[in-house]
Amino acid sequence: MKSGVYRIFHNPSKSVYIGQSIDIDQRWEKHKNDLLSLSHHNIHLSELFENIGGLTNLRFEIIVLAPKIENQLKLQKFLALEEMFEIKYHKSIGWN
């Protein structure tokens, strides 16, 4: 089981969704299943998925592996970078 911070990158729009999980592989499967069933909680990611290419245009990447305690701080840093570079979308902070 891998724990850490990850991102979902939508290539055509260059949009990024950043999240964290104590089980990254399981979380990615949940994202895919929710997108395919049109029940994903993030409306922006859902719209990109539905309107521009489905899963083929999404790239899942692990940004950093870290124990759960460290993840919150690392995610805060990445969210701050998002703001600095005006990255469009991100997930609310919490554990999945």
Side-chain angles (χ1 to χ4, degrees), residues 10 12-13 15 17 34-36 38-55 57-58 88-89:
H10 184 259
S13 68
S15 297
Y17 172 105
D34 288 352
L35 287 166
L36 290 168
L38 305 178
S39 62
H40 198 275
H41 68 276
N42 185 289
I43 192 162
H44 302 292
L45 187 58
S46 295
E47 287 174 355
L48 291 173
F49 171 81
E50 291 174 40
N51 298 322
I52 311 175
L55 287 176
N57 285 317
L58 296 179
K88 295 180 189 175
Y89 313 121

Side-chain angles (χ1 to χ4, degrees), residues 79-96:
L79 291 176
L81 286 173
E82 269 190 334
E83 288 179 27
M84 186 184 337
F85 292 105
E86 296 181 6
I87 296 172
K88 295 180 189 175
Y89 313 121
H90 68 272
K91 163 181 188 324
S92 58
I93 298 169
W95 283 100
N96 300 304

Side-chain angles (χ1 to χ4, degrees), residues 4-17:
V5 179
Y6 63 89
R7 78 177 186 162
I8 300 172
F9 179 77
H10 184 259
N11 194 45
S13 68
K14 307 300 185 229
S15 297
V16 175
Y17 172 105

Side-chain angles (χ1 to χ4, degrees), residues 64-83:
V64 64
L65 294 173
K68 182 178 176 179
I69 295 170
E70 293 177 18
N71 280 348
Q72 193 68 28
L73 293 174
K74 290 182 188 283
L75 180 61
Q76 291 289 348
K77 289 178 185 176
F78 286 110
L79 291 176
L81 286 173
E82 269 190 334
E83 288 179 27

